[in-house]
Amino acid sequence: MKDERYDKYPEVRVKGFDNHAWRGWSVVQRAVAECLPKQHKTVLVIDCYPGVRLDELHQQLICGLNPALIINAETARHSEESLHDLLADNLTDDRVFGVLSCHQLPAFFCPDRLAALQREVEAVTAGLVVVYGPGAALVHPGDRLIYADLARWEIQQRFRSGEAGNWGANNQQEDILRRYKRAFFIEWRVFDRHKTSLLRRADFLLDTNQQNDPALVNGVALRHGLEQTVQQPFRVVPFFDPGVWGGQWMKDKFNLDASQPNYAWGFDCVPEENSLLLRFGDVRLEIPSQDLVLLYPRPLLGEKVHARFGAEFPIRFDFLDTVGGQNLSFQVHPLTEYIQQHFGMHYTQDESYYLLEAEPGAEVYLGIKTGIDPQEMLNDLASAQRGEKAFADEKFVNRFPARKHDHFLIPAGTVHCAGAGTVVLEISATPYIFTFKLWDWGRLGMDGLPRPVHLEHGAQVIDWQRDTQWVTRHLVNQVEPVAEGDGWREERTGLHEREFIETRRHWFCKPVTHHTQGGVNVLNLIEGHEALVESPNQAFEPFVVRYAETFIVPAAVGEYRISPYGSSVGQQLATIKAWVRG
């Protein structure tokens, strides 16, 4: 049965700023015009995240302001060839993996051309000057500053449609994986550094996610909304994606687009790529939830987590749906030293599989069989990669029965995959794309191309000690009772000691009290229809969460209480909670 109550567009309603946001180009243009000083000369800077439609911005907003001078900052950017030379070491020849960039945005611009644009601005003695485009604040700080923002998921949709290439590259027809790689390893890193200081002082933020339907919010109101968000439980906007192995459970349960062949992934808490919806009166604003992490990391993450990870959200929750689908790729994640030395990441993708649903006979592949010859397995994988044969997984890899509420722990270096007939809540660290596929069952991708296999990387990180006995003893359903009270009990379910994430499951039919203990909590309602999250001292508005919804409780919240709600009153519910170990 479809659960149409799963909220695909969760909002944070911002208090006290109902009249500080506007929607639609004509209204946005009027709001911007009214804020411009009536002095002799005004410089309006509209800096942009890469992927913003600059032609639309120019035609629908800038021209209507009747400026004396319009400057596109991109005219000072280095040529495509120069950028490629600058970034070659970060891009690498690999289709999927690059090296994280430490560049600052000025490195992408020609100093002489920037200086020439700055002289043009100085030469104007009266009227309005508009400088716009990515890097516009490098030309002038602005008497008024607008930041035009865009969510990463929307950027990816523009990549896929062929509308957009990478910033400074005419590569709309290039392999989508290579375009994503360039954005992930370079562009998004550079522009997140650039925009952080701008968002702290911007007069306005412009939401450019919907074509010809922008939203504008006053900068003070925006920052107030973000400050409010880190004082209460909230959800980011989930997004869902088909895949070659994808299933049908999420499509039905979450009332998703029935025309899609399947849904493989559901990203319900990946703040670097999800959006955050803020409502100001009648106007709903969509911003990258990463903006919250960048601007308010300490109250969101907590002091210890921020000290360890910086302005990065280290916990990821997502869904993997193979009900009516196929096995995931057989894979392994890099060890910490490997990801540091080869890709510039400072922590790796440790993870776990929590089974939300499982059909009869479902299995999880985890670890190698005791006594196998590692080189024989690698040779077999290499033969499979060359198309000579299918990988003999039954000879080399353990299969464990998978049932609802089982929890399988997967520290880096452990070979694994979820089999068909499962819905996995994947609880993991967040380096995102660092999965080394070892075997993909001979499939092509959704684009008709062979899916990339990285046996050369995987062979160097497989931990051959993760055999049948070790995995059974350390990684399968490591449930330990922790505490219990009136109508509730708490269990520790992992993760392994090599992983920095702690997980606890609470079964309850009466209210149960939690505390962030100074660190961010991420939870999912894994059993029951709906629950109520409240503050014992009314510090935030009561927050309703429904089955399978992931929600974030910022470190600053402190104590909170979760109770059965609505039709779930009198029934047994369960949550799974994750946080960073101290």
Side-chain angles (χ1 to χ4, degrees):
M1 183 179 68
K2 293 181 180 178
D3 186 354
E4 297 184 0
R5 302 192 62 161
Y6 177 91
D7 191 355
K8 298 189 289 290
Y9 304 99
E11 298 178 346
V12 175
R13 292 184 172 269
V14 181
K15 302 174 184 176
F17 288 85
D18 285 3
N19 299 316
H20 289 71
W22 306 265
R23 177 167 292 282
W25 277 123
S26 60
V27 181
V28 165
Q29 185 184 104
R30 185 163 58 249
V32 171
E34 290 175 353
C35 87
L36 297 175
K38 309 306 180 189
Q39 59 194 52
H40 197 50
K41 174 186 173 181
T42 300
V43 180
L44 171 64
V45 167
I46 309 176
D47 211 315
C48 305
Y49 210 69
V52 169
R53 295 182 174 102
L54 298 185
D55 288 345
E56 180 182 335
L57 183 66
H58 181 272
Q59 295 166 10
Q60 300 293 336
L61 174 59
I62 296 171
C63 289
L65 297 174
N66 299 313
L69 176 66
I70 301 173
I71 290 177
N72 182 345
E74 289 193 318
T75 60
R77 188 182 59 206
H78 284 307
S79 69
E80 182 173 354
E81 289 183 0
S82 296
L83 288 179
H84 188 274
D85 291 342
L86 174 69
L87 303 174
D89 289 343
N90 297 90
L91 289 173
T92 74
D93 293 328
D94 193 285
R95 186 181 173 198
V96 175
F97 301 117
V99 177
L100 281 184
S101 166
C102 292
H103 295 92
Q104 299 294 327
L105 189 58
F108 292 71
F109 286 82
C110 172
D112 291 343
R113 277 182 273 173
L114 269 181
L117 295 183
Q118 291 163 355
R119 288 193 294 270
E120 285 189 51
V121 174
E122 291 301 317
V124 175
T125 59
L128 175 65
V129 176
V130 177
V131 185
Y132 75 104
L138 300 178
V139 178
H140 193 281
D143 300 313
R144 289 290 183 270
L145 172 63
I146 299 174
Y147 193 82
D149 218 344
L150 182 63
R152 288 187 185 176
W153 181 237
E154 173 59 24
I155 294 172
Q156 292 178 59
Q157 300 315 299
R158 296 180 191 183
F159 281 168
R160 293 179 181 186
S161 70
E163 172 190 346
N166 290 106
W167 186 65
N170 185 25
N171 66 344
Q172 287 88 333
Q173 303 309 313
E174 188 176 30
D175 176 5
I176 183 63
L177 293 180
R178 292 185 182 275
R179 279 182 283 159
Y180 179 86
K181 177 186 74 171
R182 182 165 175 158
F184 177 89
F185 284 95
I186 300 170
E187 291 163 20
W188 297 340
R189 309 294 164 174
V190 171
F191 276 93
D192 280 356
R193 294 183 195 112
H194 176 67
K195 78 173 178 178
T196 301
S197 61
L198 300 183
L199 290 174
R200 291 192 179 111
R201 67 179 182 88
D203 298 288
F204 297 97
L205 181 139
L206 182 65
D207 164 8
T208 68
N209 287 281
Q210 299 298 320
Q211 188 167 20
N212 292 317
D213 188 21
L216 184 77
V217 65
N218 173 277
V220 172
L222 169 71
R223 291 181 287 273
H224 176 87
L226 296 178
E227 288 173 356
Q228 177 187 319
T229 303
V230 295
Q231 300 295 327
Q232 64 184 60
F234 69 96
R235 294 184 62 222
V236 293
V237 182
F239 61 89
F240 305 89
D241 213 18
V244 293
W245 44 262
Q248 304 298 317
W249 186 88
M250 289 191 297
K251 183 192 295 188
D252 182 65
K253 194 67 176 176
F254 300 157
N255 194 28
L256 305 179
D257 182 359
S259 68
Q260 292 293 335
N262 63 59
Y263 285 95
W265 295 277
F267 297 97
D268 207 10
C269 178
V270 190
E272 275 205 22
E273 297 198 7
N274 288 108
S275 295
L276 178 68
L277 297 180
L278 300 176
R279 177 166 291 280
F280 300 87
D282 294 333
V283 177
R284 187 173 75 182
L285 189 84
E286 179 179 1
I287 64 171
S289 52
Q290 178 70 353
D291 290 355
L292 182 69
V293 182
L294 294 173
L295 265 63
Y296 297 97
R298 295 171 80 160
L300 174 63
L301 303 175
E303 291 293 331
K304 291 182 179 179
V305 178
H306 180 239
R308 181 172 176 182
F309 294 95
E312 292 187 23
F313 198 94
I315 302 172
R316 159 179 167 160
F317 276 34
D318 61 90
F319 304 117
L320 309 172
D321 180 0
T322 66
V323 172
Q326 306 172 25
N327 295 348
L328 273 67
S329 60
F330 180 57
Q331 59 193 240
V332 66
H333 299 300
L335 303 172
T336 301
E337 59 267 31
Y338 196 86
I339 203 171
Q340 289 172 341
Q341 293 167 8
H342 289 78
F343 309 113
M345 296 290 296
H346 61 277
Y347 62 101
T348 193
Q349 191 168 321
D350 291 310
E351 65 183 25
S352 69
Y353 287 168
Y354 191 94
L355 272 293
L356 273 186
E357 300 288 346
E359 295 183 320
E363 296 176 313
V364 165
Y365 297 66
L366 188 65
I368 60 170
K369 288 188 175 180
T370 299
I372 65 110
D373 179 350
Q375 191 57 55
E376 184 184 0
M377 176 172 152
L378 292 175
N379 291 342
D380 206 76
L381 285 166
S383 295
Q385 185 177 3
R386 292 192 296 268
E388 298 169 0
K389 60 185 289 296
F391 173 57
D393 61 278
E394 70 287 347
K395 179 178 180 180
F396 297 105
V397 184
N398 301 309
R399 296 185 189 180
F400 292 93
R403 296 172 292 269
K404 183 179 175 68
H405 293 305
D406 282 348
H407 199 179
F408 299 89
L409 316 180
I410 313 172
T414 310
V415 296
H416 63 281
C417 79
T422 63
V423 180
V424 169
L425 174 64
E426 189 175 47
I427 302 172
S428 74
T430 50
Y432 304 98
I433 65 171
F434 290 96
T435 296
F436 298 151
K437 294 185 182 70
L438 304 173
W439 165 240
D440 199 37
W441 317 98
R443 298 179 293 215
L444 298 178
M446 298 287 280
D447 55 6
L449 299 174
R451 300 183 80 208
V453 173
H454 285 92
L455 184 56
E456 69 282 6
H457 285 305
Q460 298 183 64
V461 301
I462 295 173
D463 188 331
W464 300 102
Q465 296 181 2
R466 309 271 170 86
D467 62 9
T468 308
Q469 284 74 24
W470 193 93
V471 167
T472 302
R473 189 163 60 249
H474 295 284
L475 302 185
V476 179
N477 286 326
Q478 302 298 299
V479 179
E480 302 173 5
V482 173
E484 60 182 314
D486 181 20
W488 63 269
R489 73 181 189 275
E490 178 182 0
E491 301 167 334
R492 181 181 184 274
T493 68
L495 299 185
H496 187 260
E497 63 183 2
R498 288 187 61 91
E499 305 178 83
F500 64 75
I501 296 173
E502 181 70 20
T503 55
R504 297 288 174 88
R505 179 170 58 200
H506 286 79
W507 298 97
F508 60 101
C509 60
K510 293 184 178 180
V512 56
T513 298
H514 297 251
H515 202 292
T516 63
Q517 302 297 336
V520 65
N521 290 184
V522 181
L523 300 93
N524 187 285
L525 184 65
I526 55 174
E527 186 71 36
H529 187 63
E530 53 188 347
L532 187 68
V533 188
E534 299 175 282
S535 167
N537 57 4
Q538 290 77 52
F540 57 81
E541 296 288 335
F543 179 84
V544 176
V545 60
R546 298 173 180 87
Y547 176 66
E549 291 182 348
T550 298
F551 60 104
I552 297 168
V553 182
V557 167
E559 188 175 355
Y560 59 102
R561 182 173 57 235
I562 304 179
S563 309
Y565 182 71
S567 61
S568 293
V569 172
Q571 299 178 2
Q572 179 169 255
L573 289 76
T575 57
I576 190 81
K577 176 171 67 172
W579 72 89
V580 175
R581 292 187 182 122

